Amino acid sequence: MSYDNTRRLSSTTWRHVAFIEKEVRDNSQQAFQGSWLMMSDVCKHCSPAPCLEACPTGAIFRTEFDTVVVQQDICNGCGYCVPACPFGVVAMDDNDGKAHKCTLCYDRMKGGLEPACAKSCPTDSIQFGLVEDLQARAEARVQELRDRGVAGARLYGTPGAEGATGGIRHLNASFLLVDRPEVYNLPAAPSRPAERIAPALGSGLVAVAGLALAAFALLGQRR
């Protein structure tokens, strides 16, 4: 609930600009004066992608541009991809019962064009290009902001940074933040469900073995 007009990412809203109001309480500004953070959120096109790993039909695939796309003609509407996404991006559509999310304008990129969001952004805050080039540009921008006194400036989703955790190596849509990820409603340490399968399976086997031993012990006492 904010001043933006989409409220959240959904099956039909693939980019969401959040207006985050912060209260300011230092002596240099008037009491109750506020400030704003803007967050242009979108599918992160994770590498590797938890939604792709959870899809049982192969409807979600990685393109030649290293982006992640859902094919609605193959999607069976199971919804496994929805809880698998640590960012809450994938959503089911009430009309067709299929999963939907940003495709990073796969059709435009195949035609040699940049995604529509980057093309239409009047301030160039949404930038498109080779991931390595964008990361280097963002790192230089972070240093510039810190030199200007913005101590909280950081990158989110680049290798080794917040957002690239729990088996996610990096995000193909990374973000330059000026505060903690939680302030932007981003998880500080997202993880892939696939990383939790082995520990969960191990715990389950240990529990089964424990129950079996307890059963044998009880049967032995009865004899």
Side-chain angles (χ1 to χ4, degrees):
M1 300 300 293
S2 181
Y3 286 96
D4 63 89
N5 63 4
T6 58
R7 297 189 181 180
R8 63 186 181 278
L9 294 172
S10 71
S11 61
T12 56
T13 300
W14 293 353
R15 182 172 286 275
H16 166 71
V17 180
F19 288 51
I20 304 163
E21 187 173 14
K22 295 187 64 181
E23 294 182 351
V24 177
R25 287 291 185 273
D26 60 45
N27 295 329
S28 64
Q29 295 173 295
Q30 298 178 358
F32 303 106
Q33 182 173 345
S35 63
W36 291 91
L37 298 176
M38 304 297 178
M39 167 65 178
S40 183
D41 200 9
V42 72
C43 175
K44 317 304 184 290
H45 297 276
C46 310
S47 179
C51 62
L52 188 156
E53 294 175 328
C55 180
T57 64
I60 303 178
F61 74 104
R62 187 171 296 280
T63 74
E64 64 270 32
F65 304 108
D66 203 26
T67 58
V68 181
V69 173
V70 183
Q71 302 171 94
Q72 272 70 45
D73 59 331
I74 300 177
C75 176
N76 66 356
C78 69
Y80 292 165
C81 54
V82 176
C85 175
F87 303 101
V89 168
V90 189
M92 304 300 294
D93 189 272
D94 293 334
N95 294 317
D96 65 6
K98 306 296 182 68
H100 295 261
K101 72 172 193 66
C102 165
T103 66
L104 206 65
C105 292
Y106 182 42
D107 53 341
R108 288 178 58 86
M109 287 199 292
K110 286 194 294 184
L113 303 173
E114 63 180 327
C117 58
K119 180 69 175 179
S120 62
C121 181
T123 62
D124 205 26
S125 63
I126 302 173
Q127 299 186 13
F128 174 75
L130 293 176
V131 173
E132 295 78 8
D133 294 343
L134 294 175
Q135 290 174 352
R137 195 181 308 165
E139 289 170 357
R141 177 62 174 164
V142 166
Q143 188 58 52
E144 178 187 347
L145 289 172
R146 288 178 177 172
D147 292 343
R148 291 166 52 183
V150 184
R154 67 189 75 195
L155 294 181
Y156 183 88
T158 56
E162 295 166 310
T165 57
I168 299 175
R169 293 189 296 271
H170 71 273
L171 307 179
N172 282 320
S174 54
F175 301 82
L176 195 163
L177 310 179
V178 295
D179 208 325
R180 296 176 296 108
E182 296 89 339
V183 175
Y184 296 87
N185 198 32
L186 291 170
S191 62
R192 294 162 52 218
E195 292 284 303
R196 300 191 290 273
I197 291 176
L201 181 60
S203 299
L205 292 175
V206 169
V208 170
L211 290 173
L213 289 174
F216 284 129
L218 288 173
L219 291 174
Q221 290 177 359
R222 289 180 180 179
R223 291 177 182 177

